Amino acid sequence: MSFSLPKNVPSFESSQRRYENAYWGSSGITHQNGHAGIGDKLGGFFDNQALPMYKDKPYAHGASKRQKPLLRRRRVWFGLILILCGLLSYSWMHSSVTEEDEGVKSRENAVWKWFRRPAKSIVSVDWNDRREKVKDVFILSWDGYERYAWGMFNLLPQEASIAFWRASLLKEIQLTSLGYDEYHPVSKQGTQIAPSGLGWIIVDALDTLMIMNLTSRLSHAREWISTSLNYDQDLEVNTFETTIRMLGGLLSAHYLSTTFQEMAPLPEDDHGKPGEDLYLEKAADLADRLLGAFDTESGVPYTSVNLKTLKGKAPDFEGGAASTAEAASLQLEFKYLALLMGEKTYWEKSEKVIQVIDDNGMEDGLLPIYIYADKGTFRGENIRLGSRGDSYYGLFVDLIMISITNTVLEYLIKQYFQTSQEEPVYLELWNQALAGVRKHLITYTKHSHFTVLGERPDGLDKNISPKMDHLVCFMPGTIALGATGGLPLAEAKKSKEWEKRQEQDMELARELTKTCWGMYKVSATGLAPEIAHFNIEDPPHMELDGKISSEIVDFDTANASWKADYVIKQPDSHNLQRPETVESLFYMWRITGDVVYREWGWEMFKSFVQYTTVEDGAGFTSLSRANEIPPIVKDNMESFWLAETLKYFYLLFSPSDLLPLDKIVINTEAHIFPRFKLQRGLKTGWTRKPRDPDGKIHYETWEEKEKKVNGGVKTVRVVDVEAKREAKSFSG
């Protein structure tokens, strides 16, 4: 604001000014020792620091020798009123902070109180009570972020209240809510990945706030999105991460707020209100910017895209090849948006990627982990389901390294369920890829015969690496989902389509879940490392050599022999609060009804509480070393701690009719979308090239070229020898 200077202000340019200053100075009361620090501390809040502060004359200076009685002076009364108002304001704000501190301590004490209670028998467990404990931990995490990394310049609570008090008296501050993208709970500060922030944590956690019915906190988040979230920033973002977290988070918030109105209802979201489509409008704006990544010759998106210029960019590593999993794990989000907006472009751009990948004709549906965006061909032969490969299979399978890249596989089967099983091509792709996993990647440990989903870093015909990223632990839950469609196992078995293959898939899901749980139990803190290696036979016993069931293991026995099968290397011992194992526990509980998965989840949850809690109500942190006590902290709270890990814990302990699995699909960031029928002109826009019984492409029949005949265009099937030779070179 501007100051309105009263009349009779002394001239600050006057030659007499130096005498006036000398007189003030001789009084011995200066700004520095009489009013220490107000201007300095608030200096950054003022628009014009050069403005002369006429009111800053020393309070001991007398303007007139003919003084009125003390209580009859207007300035005295004004000063007393001002001081009283200030004290009341400060007292109120200080008390509010104190109440906030007490609230934080109360929640912390509540968490530790139940944590120290003796364990109840399984028969007497109150799972709704355990679900509320998860909510308590979410609230501590969210409030810690809100307190230290969302607001006024990361001031500590008392400093913030003082600043607000001074600002309210001077009416000089226009505060903005920063909403930091990253939160460091140990140092109690936030950092940005974009100049104005992308709401990385806020948007990612929206649907968790709704599911947990945290209305006031959701209201704050929604207000920030409405007033502060702006994607028109000159910034390169990762196409995949921004899609699954931000686009997925906004779409999930739209779905839940419009379909489940009992979940944290806000009047702003009511039908007919101006802001009812806020989440959808933000999602469409973001998606239109992300589409720039798909502007490649092949249709495979670039790894990153500039949100302002809409220009995609290939990575500076791996020869410019993109992650196969990232490119093939964007479909759930763009397809759902296409349905909502009636815009086919979102659908066609995203499904084109799957066609290009499949046209490479990789052996047994297993893909290398890198693909060139410009050519649509693979780089290398590294096949795995861990980092850079997993979600394709969940949506599909990602294979360069020959290990299964997680989101690729994941998104194959989930696309099939997203459109209510009306696109059978994705079920075919999933079945082929899962069969390839069984054939090439499943082996067993040497002693207790744990099932290991390994990697083929040098190609399918080279040695298997007995290594599992924690990321791979999404697989057992996804396999169970693929086998049953999300129905309870007993109900799924009544279907005419149930056969031996599904039975075998469920057994594989159980065994892999046990292996992933072992990664937690072998760790000193009870929290899994990022990567585990395993002792296997030499030569390895593969599933093709005959299936082996693991021994009956007592995970709670100290110095148990089964631990010899696990090898945890120190560089791999960090724990990033990842959700994949609890995700599978959630699916396995919902599908099998076996309470052991809930009990494992509760034990895992208690380990997070015990070893990752940060003092002063700051929340919870990831760990640099989780295999030693006390663990070494990493000072970072991942956004997926709120978006995925705690959400899956909450759903694991919730009744099964909360978001039933046969009615929804969950993306790789745990965002919730509905299943729907093909409509509004949306359909599968491609078909697979013909294959032989082994799944290999018939090159003599699929290559079509257009030839002009008598001035017209005629399509003729021909043998393309060069294409066949090139395709063979890609497959090794």
Side-chain angles (χ1 to χ4, degrees):
M1 61 173 283
S2 61
F3 282 87
S4 178
L5 297 179
K7 297 179 181 180
N8 303 320
V9 173
S11 171
F12 291 91
E13 304 299 325
S14 169
S15 60
Q16 299 297 314
R17 177 66 177 176
R18 67 179 186 275
Y19 300 112
E20 188 175 4
N21 288 340
Y23 177 76
W24 291 348
S26 67
S27 69
I29 301 174
T30 65
H31 170 75
Q32 283 73 20
N33 59 29
H35 302 279
I38 293 178
D40 294 335
K41 290 184 180 179
L42 293 180
F45 297 173
F46 293 98
D47 295 329
N48 185 0
Q49 296 181 9
L51 189 64
M53 296 298 289
Y54 151 74
K55 296 182 180 180
D56 279 353
K57 288 185 180 180
Y59 63 84
H61 174 67
S64 173
K65 299 297 182 181
R66 295 175 295 174
Q67 298 180 351
K68 296 180 181 179
L70 185 63
L71 294 180
R72 294 181 61 186
R73 300 176 203 163
R74 286 187 299 173
R75 289 184 180 179
V76 171
W77 279 108
F78 177 77
L80 289 173
I81 293 172
L82 186 62
I83 291 171
L84 180 60
C85 291
L87 289 173
L88 289 173
S89 175
Y90 176 80
S91 174
W92 176 79
M93 290 190 177
H94 182 71
S95 66
S96 67
V97 173
T98 302
E99 290 171 2
E100 180 183 354
D101 290 337
E102 290 176 351
V104 170
K105 291 178 181 177
S106 175
R107 284 191 292 272
E108 284 185 296
N109 291 336
V111 168
W112 285 106
K113 183 177 180 180
W114 62 255
F115 181 80
R116 296 188 180 100
R117 282 202 306 252
K120 297 180 180 180
S121 67
I122 293 178
V123 176
S124 63
V125 166
D126 184 344
W127 290 105
N128 285 330
D129 181 65
R130 289 186 171 183
R131 178 176 74 163
E132 290 305 302
K133 301 304 182 292
V134 176
K135 183 189 289 188
D136 289 341
V137 167
F138 179 92
I139 290 172
L140 280 172
S141 303
W142 177 269
D143 288 359
Y145 166 74
E146 191 173 38
R147 196 178 192 203
Y148 296 113
W150 183 357
M152 200 177 73
F153 308 105
N154 280 356
L155 293 177
L156 296 177
Q158 190 167 351
E159 293 172 341
S161 68
I162 294 172
F164 273 107
W165 167 63
R166 290 170 177 165
S168 66
L169 293 181
L170 297 174
K171 297 181 180 179
E172 190 65 25
I173 301 174
Q174 182 72 35
L175 288 177
T176 57
S177 184
L178 302 180
Y180 282 101
D181 296 317
E182 298 173 327
Y183 175 44
H184 312 292
V186 178
S187 55
K188 299 179 176 61
Q189 61 182 349
T191 53
Q192 295 287 40
I193 61 176
S196 300
L198 294 176
W200 209 249
I201 291 175
I202 298 170
V203 174
D204 216 8
L206 281 173
D207 53 1
T208 311
L209 289 165
M210 293 177 180
I211 292 169
M212 294 185 179
N213 205 30
L214 297 173
T215 308
S216 62
R217 292 169 177 84
L218 176 64
S219 179
H220 187 194
R222 190 190 187 286
E223 180 185 10
W224 184 89
I225 291 170
S226 176
T227 60
S228 301
L229 181 57
N230 176 24
Y231 289 121
D232 189 25
Q233 300 187 54
D234 190 5
L235 174 76
E236 286 184 1
V237 298
N238 180 276
T239 307
F240 166 72
E241 295 289 354
T242 307
T243 297
I244 65 168
R245 300 191 195 205
M246 299 298 95
L247 182 58
L250 291 165
L251 291 172
S252 181
H254 172 78
Y255 169 57
L256 295 182
S257 65
T258 55
T259 307
F260 302 93
Q261 297 182 2
E262 72 280 4
M263 291 183 178
L266 296 177
E268 297 90 338
D269 294 329
D270 289 349
H271 180 68
K273 291 295 181 68
E276 66 170 319
D277 292 328
L278 172 66
Y279 303 127
L280 182 57
E281 290 169 357
K282 291 290 185 181
D285 175 41
L286 177 59
D288 289 343
R289 299 173 188 278
L290 293 172
L291 282 180
F294 292 83
D295 290 338
T296 64
E297 185 176 347
S298 71
V300 173
Y302 287 117
T303 298
S304 61
V305 62
N306 187 295
L307 292 178
K308 193 174 188 69
T309 66
L310 314 185
K311 299 293 184 182
K313 181 183 177 183
D316 297 326
F317 52 87
E318 297 297 340
S323 162
T324 308
E326 292 185 1
S329 304
L330 310 167
Q331 288 68 34
L332 294 181
E333 297 79 7
F334 278 97
K335 283 187 168 184
Y336 180 39
L337 183 61
L339 173 72
L340 293 172
M341 302 298 293
E343 178 53 69
K344 292 183 181 179
T345 300
Y346 301 131
W347 185 287
E348 294 167 350
K349 291 278 189 180
S350 60
E351 76 166 0
K352 174 68 174 178
V353 180
I354 305 299
Q355 179 185 6
V356 172
I357 288 174
D358 190 55
D359 283 352
N360 277 272
M362 297 306 295
E363 182 178 353
D364 293 325
L366 298 182
L367 318 172
I369 59 174
Y370 293 106
I371 187 169
Y372 291 107
D374 54 350
K375 296 180 288 187
T377 56
F378 292 112
R379 181 181 191 272
E381 297 183 81
N382 187 341
I383 295 179
R384 65 176 179 222
L385 284 185
S387 58
R388 298 194 177 276
D390 56 337
S391 52
Y392 165 79
Y393 298 102
L395 274 168
F396 221 160
V397 178
D398 178 359
L399 303 166
I400 280 189
M401 238 183 92
I402 302 182
S403 99
I404 306 174
T405 357
N406 58 44
T407 46
V408 180
L409 237 172
E410 177 187 357
Y411 269 47
L412 288 179
I413 189 61
K414 288 184 177 179
Q415 283 185 84
Y416 175 62
F417 292 132
Q418 181 182 38
T419 51
S420 302
Q421 305 178 41
E422 292 185 336
E423 295 185 278
V425 65
Y426 296 108
L427 178 62
E428 181 183 344
L429 290 168
W430 161 259
N431 286 334
Q432 181 186 359
L434 186 56
V437 169
R438 287 181 171 280
K439 179 179 178 180
H440 298 287
L441 302 180
I442 295 296
T443 185
Y444 305 93
T445 62
K446 187 174 183 178
H447 304 290
S448 296
H449 304 144
F450 289 107
T451 298
V452 176
L453 202 168
E455 302 179 355
R456 298 274 184 176
D458 300 313
L460 291 177
D461 58 344
K462 300 298 190 298
N463 292 335
I464 190 170
S465 172
K467 162 183 172 286
M468 279 179 62
D469 290 14
H470 187 275
L471 286 165
V472 176
C473 288
F474 84 95
M475 264 303 271
T478 303
I479 292 172
L481 174 68
T484 65
L487 293 171
L489 183 59
E491 185 177 344
K493 284 185 173 182
K494 297 176 182 178
S495 169
K496 295 179 180 179
E497 297 178 356
W498 187 265
E499 53 190 29
K500 185 178 180 180
R501 178 180 58 80
Q502 284 97 324
E503 202 72 59
Q504 293 173 339
D505 287 350
M506 285 303 304
E507 182 59 27
L508 177 59
R510 290 187 184 94
E511 291 294 333
L512 284 174
T513 304
K514 185 186 292 187
T515 304
C516 290
W517 177 234
M519 292 170 66
Y520 283 79
K521 295 300 293 182
V522 78
S523 172
T525 61
L527 296 174
E530 181 73 358
I531 298 170
H533 293 77
F534 298 88
N535 286 316
I536 62 174
E537 298 285 356
D538 186 13
H541 185 101
M542 305 299 294
E543 187 181 272
L544 286 177
D545 301 322
K547 297 177 184 176
I548 304 177
S549 296
S550 61
E551 297 177 355
I552 297 175
V553 173
D554 183 357
F555 284 110
D556 295 319
T557 301
N559 301 317
S561 61
W562 64 266
K563 294 183 179 180
D565 282 335
Y566 288 79
V567 179
I568 309 302
K569 301 178 181 180
Q570 182 174 301
D572 303 329
S573 66
H574 49 289
N575 180 282
L576 302 182
Q577 306 172 300
R578 287 199 185 277
E580 287 77 20
T581 298
V582 68
E583 173 185 351
S584 282
L585 293 179
F586 161 67
Y587 279 106
M588 294 300 290
W589 155 249
R590 284 283 185 94
I591 290 170
T592 69
D594 190 339
V595 73
V596 71
Y597 299 118
R598 275 183 150 183
E599 289 297 336
W600 288 353
W602 178 246
E603 189 172 343
M604 185 193 307
F605 175 70
K606 290 194 296 182
S607 294
F608 275 117
V609 172
Q610 183 172 2
Y611 292 110
T612 71
T613 303
V614 180
E615 62 183 7
D616 299 329
F620 298 80
T621 182
S622 51
L623 303 176
S624 293
R625 294 186 188 175
N627 197 26
E628 53 190 78
I629 297 176
I632 298 176
V633 300
K634 192 177 178 63
D635 191 18
N636 192 59
M637 184 192 79
E638 299 288 348
S639 75
F640 50 70
W641 168 249
L642 301 178
E644 298 186 74
T645 308
L646 291 178
K647 182 187 296 168
Y648 279 125
F649 277 125
Y650 188 81
L651 292 174
L652 175 62
F653 304 145
S654 294
S656 294
D657 59 357
L658 175 62
L659 300 174
L661 287 178
D662 60 330
K663 305 298 182 185
I664 60 171
V665 289
I666 305 176
N667 87 337
T668 196
E669 189 72 7
H671 294 311
I672 317 295
F673 304 150
R675 299 189 184 193
F676 57 85
K677 296 281 188 179
L678 291 175
Q679 55 188 285
R680 307 183 73 175
L682 302 177
K683 61 181 180 179
T684 310
W686 67 286
T687 56
R688 301 189 76 191
K689 294 174 179 178
R691 262 79 171 172
D692 62 20
D694 295 327
K696 297 179 181 179
I697 292 176
H698 283 299
Y699 293 103
E700 292 78 13
T701 61
W702 63 255
E703 183 61 33
E704 294 186 351
K705 288 190 175 181
E706 295 180 342
K707 292 186 175 180
K708 293 183 179 180
V709 180
N710 298 325
V713 177
K714 183 176 181 180
T715 300
V716 181
R717 294 183 182 272
V718 299
V719 176
D720 191 330
V721 178
E722 185 63 26
K724 181 175 180 179
R725 184 183 300 114
E726 184 180 5
K728 283 186 175 180
S729 71
F730 292 141
S731 64

